[in-house]
Amino acid sequence: MKKIIVFCLLASLVVGCGTKKVAARKKTSSKQKTEQVAVKNERRNNSVNKEVEEVVNGVGVKITSTDEYIALFKTIAQEEMRLYGIPASITLAQGILESNSGKGRLAIEANNHFGIKCHEWTGDRIYHDDDASQECFRKYNDSKYSYRDHSLFLTQRSRYAALFKLKKEDYRGWARELKKAGYATDTKYPDKLIGLIDRYRLHTYDEEVLGDVYVKYEEEIGMFSMYYVEKGDTMYSISKKFNVTIDELKDLNNLTSTVLSVGQKIRINKNATEMAVVGAGQKPTIKAVKEYRSHIVEKGETLYSISKLYDITVSELQKMNGLSDTALNIGQELRVKPTN
């Protein structure tokens, strides 16, 4: 009997020790998993909270204005012009428009300033809503590589071959041909580029590259005036107003249809004249076509702030642009003051 009692006591002691070891192992394992999860969460939070800046020539920058953007990228655009023959003015204007002056998501998070999609790209990528949901865009380590890829994109695709038959100082022709070749679907894309180039005098960077061979665009294409389409205008009414044919207007403006939009610029030969009736029963008078400057609306701008910028009234701005209210859209082109 004593032997049986001793055996039972020893058995219970062994079982008890084993149970404690198993519990200890479970507790240790559980503790390790909790620590690993905490580390992962900490890393993820640090990544989210870190302020992202785009990289220009190896330096992280935060761009706050179009003037800052131009100052940062003008030299890069000029170098691309020397190497690939694309006007610096066009490259800069596209960069400003496509990246919202470096403040757009693709520019900040992917150093992609031209909205170039993945296509055959094998490098890093980012997904962003554009024409469709979550489309694939190229991601660069430095914004300068975005500019180089833009140059390669245009020079290596046959559909853009007509661009390189144009003179490098003919930025208006380049803007129109980009749209014609299918670079953008926006019908006003050429006017937006031209408006940016004129407003910020980006063509001066073309002049610096070309030097003595630069020929001013106005001298190269001849003498023209611009007419801005107003509410109620048609191609037919404009042709009658300036005593030209519809086909002449279409040829002058590289148009394939007669569809017009309010505020659209129409080139008119300066030999044409506008017939305007000054009063009921009075004899028509002749008045010259006025050329206006362009202003591309930026974030935060209002009709009032733009009117102050050009020393005109809000009502004058509305009248010149056929606006019935004061609502504006970013990227919208407004005509402001006559250039003379």
Side-chain angles (χ1 to χ4, degrees):
M1 180 63 73
K2 289 182 179 180
K3 289 182 179 180
I4 294 172
I5 292 171
V6 171
F7 178 79
C8 290
L9 288 173
L10 288 173
S12 63
L13 183 62
V14 170
V15 171
C17 291
T19 303
K20 288 180 181 179
K21 288 180 181 179
V22 171
R25 280 199 299 270
K26 286 184 178 180
K27 185 176 182 181
T28 302
S29 175
S30 175
K31 183 178 180 182
Q32 287 174 343
K33 286 183 179 179
T34 302
E35 288 173 348
Q36 288 173 353
V37 171
V39 170
K40 288 181 181 178
N41 284 338
E42 182 181 356
R43 287 175 181 169
R44 182 162 56 246
N45 289 339
N46 285 342
S47 175
V48 171
N49 293 332
K50 183 179 179 182
E51 185 176 358
V52 181
E53 295 179 338
E54 54 202 288
V55 180
V56 183
N57 286 326
V59 179
V61 297
K62 185 176 181 180
I63 303 171
T64 60
S65 70
T66 301
D67 289 325
E68 284 183 10
Y69 185 94
I70 294 168
L72 280 169
F73 290 101
K74 64 182 181 182
T75 303
I76 296 174
Q78 286 180 312
E79 181 62 18
E80 295 304 306
M81 182 177 181
R82 293 185 184 97
L83 292 173
Y84 296 95
I86 302 166
S89 59
I90 285 291
T91 302
L92 281 170
Q94 285 190 280
I96 292 168
L97 188 60
E98 300 286 347
S99 74
N100 188 23
S101 298
K103 298 190 287 290
R105 177 177 178 248
L106 290 177
I108 294 173
E109 296 185 25
N111 293 305
N112 188 334
H113 286 246
F114 299 93
I116 299 179
K117 297 180 181 179
C118 288
H119 301 297
E120 68 279 6
W121 181 253
T122 57
D124 291 340
R125 54 195 63 201
I126 186 173
Y127 294 89
H128 180 73
D129 291 347
D130 192 51
D131 295 328
S133 176
Q134 292 299 287
E135 290 190 88
C136 183
F137 289 85
R138 302 182 182 191
K139 185 176 182 178
Y140 308 92
N141 293 330
D142 193 304
S143 297
K144 66 182 180 181
Y145 300 130
S146 172
Y147 270 68
R148 175 56 51 85
D149 211 17
H150 170 265
S151 298
L152 295 174
F153 190 85
L154 294 183
T155 55
Q156 295 179 357
R157 285 166 172 74
S158 59
R159 63 175 171 152
Y160 297 115
L163 285 168
F164 299 92
K165 296 177 183 179
L166 300 170
K167 290 187 177 294
K168 295 178 179 62
E169 57 267 45
D170 182 8
Y171 61 86
R172 292 181 176 88
W174 276 76
R176 288 193 295 270
E177 186 58 40
L178 276 168
K179 170 64 178 68
K180 186 177 178 181
Y183 189 94
T185 56
D186 185 357
T187 58
K188 293 187 177 180
Y189 191 76
D191 290 336
K192 290 177 180 179
L193 293 183
I194 293 168
L196 285 167
I197 292 170
D198 289 340
R199 179 181 180 185
Y200 292 100
R201 297 183 55 77
L202 302 181
H203 53 80
T204 59
Y205 303 119
D206 301 337
E207 294 180 43
E208 291 176 6
V209 173
L210 294 172
D212 294 338
V213 301
Y214 181 86
V215 178
K216 285 187 177 181
Y217 182 76
E218 289 78 11
E219 296 174 1
E220 187 66 23
I221 66 168
M223 300 298 288
F224 292 93
S225 287
M226 304 302 295
Y227 175 79
Y228 286 76
V229 177
E230 297 179 350
K231 189 175 181 180
D233 279 337
T234 64
M235 189 70 78
Y236 177 77
S237 67
I238 294 172
S239 71
K240 292 301 180 184
K241 181 180 288 189
F242 296 103
N243 195 27
V244 293
T245 68
I246 292 176
D247 287 338
E248 285 174 331
L249 284 176
K250 289 171 69 175
D251 288 342
L252 280 173
N253 294 278
N254 293 326
L255 299 175
T256 56
S257 74
T258 58
V259 178
L260 301 174
S261 56
V262 175
Q264 180 179 346
K265 289 192 293 187
I266 299 293
R267 185 192 295 175
I268 306 292
N269 192 313
K270 278 194 176 178
N271 292 327
T273 54
E274 181 180 357
M275 305 295 293
V277 179
V278 296
Q282 295 185 25
K283 188 177 180 179
T285 60
I286 306 296
K287 64 178 182 180
V289 185
K290 289 184 178 180
E291 171 123 24
Y292 289 87
R293 293 178 61 184
S294 294
H295 176 93
I296 304 299
V297 178
E298 296 185 354
K299 186 177 181 179
E301 288 188 320
T302 64
L303 274 183
Y304 178 76
S305 66
I306 295 170
S307 71
K308 293 300 180 185
L309 186 63
Y310 295 99
D311 194 27
I312 53 180
T313 66
V314 171
S315 59
E316 285 176 321
L317 269 178
Q318 289 179 301
K319 185 176 180 181
M320 280 191 286
N321 294 278
L323 301 175
S324 57
D325 55 37
T326 58
L328 296 176
N329 297 315
I330 295 174
Q332 181 178 349
E333 183 180 11
L334 298 177
R335 49 176 170 169
V336 284
K337 252 187 175 181
T339 56
N340 53 12

